[in-house]
Amino acid sequence: MIVVFDRDETDFSANGLGPLDPISCVVAETLNGQWELTLVHAWDETKSPRLQIGNIIRAPVPAGYTPAITINTPGEGENREIWRVSTGGEKLNLRAGPGTDYRVIRAYANGTEVTVIEKTNSSWYEVTAPDGKHGWMVRANLRYVRDEEIPTGEDAEVVEAKQLRDQLFRIYRLEPGLTTLTVKARHIFYDLLSNILDTYAPENATGSTVAQAIMSHCRGSHAFTMYSDVGTTGGATFTDKNPVEAILGSGGLCETWNAELARDWWDIYIVPRVGRDTNVEIRQGKNMMGLYGEIDISDTATRIIPVGRTSGGDPLYLPEIYVENTNGVNDYGAPRWMKLDRSDIKVGSGVTQSKAYDLLRDAAQQEFDKGRDEIGVALEVDFINLGDTVEYADYGILYDISIGDSVRVISPTAGIDVRLRMTEYEYDCIAKRYTVMRLEEKPTVEREAEESE
């Protein structure tokens, strides 16, 4: 069911202003990019006036799961502060920001122990609750209990994956016609476009630290909760940027820390990889309705020149200049060269020139390990999700795929039998089928982030 709600609604469990009966409703999402809804509704004197700028549409999206992430995993030997909810019996609210005007994420019983993350605000402490939810609690209702060593590895706390719900999209554009109204709406995540960061310039910080800091450096209040387990390190400067740009823009969190974004209502996940490797097959003659694609070597490289920085900021090249793949440098007729800018690898602060060289070699080799020397494949596929058909209804979970997942695509007439990742899709919310899905063979990172030295 597709339902519209008032712009200020906070309870989306009911039917809000009422259900809609659209002619068409398509959701389009791109990995680390836009997530939008386009709805066309015939003019109706009751339903059409509900479609106003700022109102929120709840619509079905492809079945998927939020990432399962590990939290609180800094270096061995560090401690954290454990505090206890102390209210005399009442539950204490965990809020999305340091103030009573922020959304209540959840309420916790008297005696619940929480981990204090930041104490920069004297009235509100930034905490992580036992269930992994992150937010702020009133300092006056917390009591210090103890310090304890931060768990790592198998003892680390985990935020479990959960199945995606129908998602929320806020209307930002109306295109009226004589007999129809076309509505454009962005995922609720894009409410952050109207916020702005104060100056924040992390250096040699983990991606998970930066993810949390971006949200706490917003000048305006917001209702979002950030989860991240990106352990790679890097640096950036964010000045007067909106949080969406800081996360997805050039030089932003996802680009600099090689991370990917997942969204579920007001929950944001920044992780090394979104999605999973599935056993789903899209096969000609079975569930494939159309196929369009390209296979080329435009982004393929067999020799990589990694470039770091000297202590003075000048380019730092390897003595041997480049790193070569081991699978045949002339596989494509001639060596294919690529420059890899790694300005984050810099001599100084404990990094010797010899160590910097080793890091640059490793960085180049990681590109090859991720498939940089392989032919690029990009396909657009029209297909039916078998899980939404009557015949396969009892096995739907086996055929569900979402953004970031990998699938096998088989087309004998096109000579294609490859495993690719879904990097974007268009989904028909009414027919519950993919109208277009773009599959690409791109360098991917391992699910477990590697700790930088």
Side-chain angles (χ1 to χ4, degrees):
M1 182 184 297
I2 300 170
V3 181
V4 63
F5 296 84
D6 183 77
R7 69 191 64 189
D8 297 322
E9 185 60 77
T10 58
D11 180 4
F12 299 93
S13 60
N15 288 335
L17 299 177
L20 300 172
D21 187 21
I23 298 171
S24 68
C25 183
V26 175
V27 169
E29 182 182 9
T30 300
L31 184 63
N32 282 2
Q34 293 292 327
W35 197 0
E36 295 201 0
L37 175 147
T38 302
L39 179 146
V40 179
H41 207 291
W43 173 254
D44 180 289
E45 62 181 10
T46 300
K47 297 179 180 179
S48 295
R50 300 170 182 168
L51 296 169
Q52 299 293 326
I53 295 289
N55 283 358
I56 299 171
I57 295 173
R58 189 188 71 205
V61 299
Y65 292 85
T66 62
I69 66 172
T70 304
I71 59 174
N72 295 332
T73 56
E76 185 178 353
E78 296 186 28
N79 291 330
R80 62 182 180 183
E81 291 186 4
I82 305 300
W83 292 58
R84 179 181 293 121
V85 172
S86 179
T87 59
E90 299 295 325
K91 288 187 175 182
L92 181 61
N93 289 332
L94 177 73
R95 293 186 177 271
T100 55
D101 56 334
Y102 288 87
R103 174 177 64 94
V104 175
I105 298 172
R106 191 171 179 179
Y108 294 86
N110 185 52
T112 302
E113 292 187 351
V114 299
T115 302
V116 172
I117 305 300
E118 289 287 348
K119 298 190 290 184
T120 53
N121 187 313
S122 60
S123 300
W124 293 79
Y125 279 2
E126 187 176 357
V127 304
T128 298
D131 58 4
K133 293 190 180 297
H134 179 88
W136 280 257
M137 286 182 167
V138 175
R139 162 65 181 88
N141 292 121
L142 294 174
R143 296 290 181 269
Y144 172 79
V145 179
R146 64 186 180 277
D147 278 8
E148 66 178 32
E149 186 174 344
I150 295 174
T152 57
E154 296 182 357
D155 296 326
E157 299 175 49
V158 172
V159 178
E160 298 291 345
K162 59 182 180 180
Q163 188 163 18
L164 287 179
R165 305 162 278 185
D166 289 0
Q167 292 296 303
L168 306 177
F169 298 85
R170 191 180 297 279
I171 300 171
Y172 72 92
R173 180 185 300 166
L174 299 175
E175 300 174 359
L178 291 177
T179 59
T180 60
L181 178 64
T182 300
V183 176
K184 300 283 189 178
R186 296 188 185 98
H187 189 270
I188 202 73
F189 164 79
Y190 292 96
D191 279 3
L192 288 171
L193 285 171
S194 61
N195 214 316
I196 196 166
L197 303 181
D198 57 24
T199 299
Y200 172 51
E203 295 182 6
N204 197 34
T206 63
S208 58
T209 298
V210 175
Q212 297 291 353
I214 285 175
M215 307 313 293
S216 62
H217 278 267
C218 291
R219 294 182 184 272
S221 62
H222 61 79
F224 293 88
T225 302
M226 174 68 77
Y227 303 95
S228 179
D229 61 353
V230 176
T232 53
T233 59
T237 299
F238 306 110
T239 302
D240 296 334
K241 289 187 175 182
N242 67 64
V244 174
E245 185 181 6
I247 294 171
L248 294 176
S250 176
L253 174 58
C254 287
E255 178 182 282
T256 302
W257 279 264
N258 195 27
E260 295 181 353
L261 167 71
R263 298 159 281 197
D264 179 37
W265 291 31
W266 282 274
D267 290 338
I268 303 171
Y269 300 83
I270 303 293
V271 295
R273 176 185 170 181
V274 168
R276 58 201 172 96
D277 295 328
T278 74
N279 293 320
V280 174
E281 292 184 357
I282 301 174
R283 183 185 291 268
Q284 183 179 353
K286 183 179 182 181
N287 55 346
M288 183 185 295
M289 308 299 292
L291 177 68
Y292 322 90
E294 57 187 38
I295 302 173
D296 66 42
I297 58 172
S298 299
D299 296 323
T300 303
T302 57
R303 284 180 179 170
I304 297 178
I305 304 175
V307 184
R309 292 291 181 269
T310 67
S311 57
D314 295 326
L316 176 67
Y317 292 89
L318 293 175
E320 65 273 26
I321 306 299
Y322 62 86
V323 176
E324 187 171 275
N325 75 332
T326 58
N327 298 326
V329 70
N330 293 312
D331 280 352
Y332 307 111
R336 297 187 60 83
W337 296 77
M338 167 189 166
K339 178 182 176 183
L340 178 64
D341 186 357
R342 289 300 304 266
S343 57
D344 58 311
I345 299 176
K346 184 177 181 179
V347 177
S349 299
V351 178
T352 64
Q353 181 167 288
S354 176
K355 179 63 174 178
Y357 285 154
D358 289 340
L359 292 173
L360 288 172
R361 294 184 184 101
D362 289 344
Q365 186 57 52
Q366 287 171 16
E367 290 293 314
F368 290 134
D369 293 342
K370 293 184 292 185
R372 180 62 69 181
D373 53 343
E374 297 175 1
I375 295 176
V377 180
L379 303 176
E380 287 189 2
V381 180
D382 295 344
F383 79 105
I384 297 173
N385 182 8
L386 292 178
D388 291 327
T389 64
V390 174
E391 294 84 353
Y392 290 84
D394 293 337
Y395 307 97
I397 193 171
L398 300 177
Y399 296 95
D400 288 337
I401 56 174
S402 189
I403 198 76
D405 288 348
S406 70
V407 298
R408 186 180 176 192
V409 181
I410 304 171
S411 172
T413 59
I416 290 175
D417 185 347
V418 292
R419 172 169 286 277
L420 304 174
R421 284 187 79 196
M422 179 165 73
T423 58
E424 61 183 79
Y425 66 78
E426 292 180 9
Y427 182 76
D428 187 328
C429 301
I430 299 174
K432 293 188 177 179
R433 60 166 287 181
Y434 293 85
T435 52
V436 175
M437 183 175 74
R438 186 170 179 85
L439 298 160
E440 294 188 359
E441 186 173 62
K442 283 188 171 182
T444 59
V445 295
E446 293 298 322
R447 182 64 189 87
E448 297 296 330
E450 295 182 0
E451 293 293 333
S452 297
E453 298 184 32

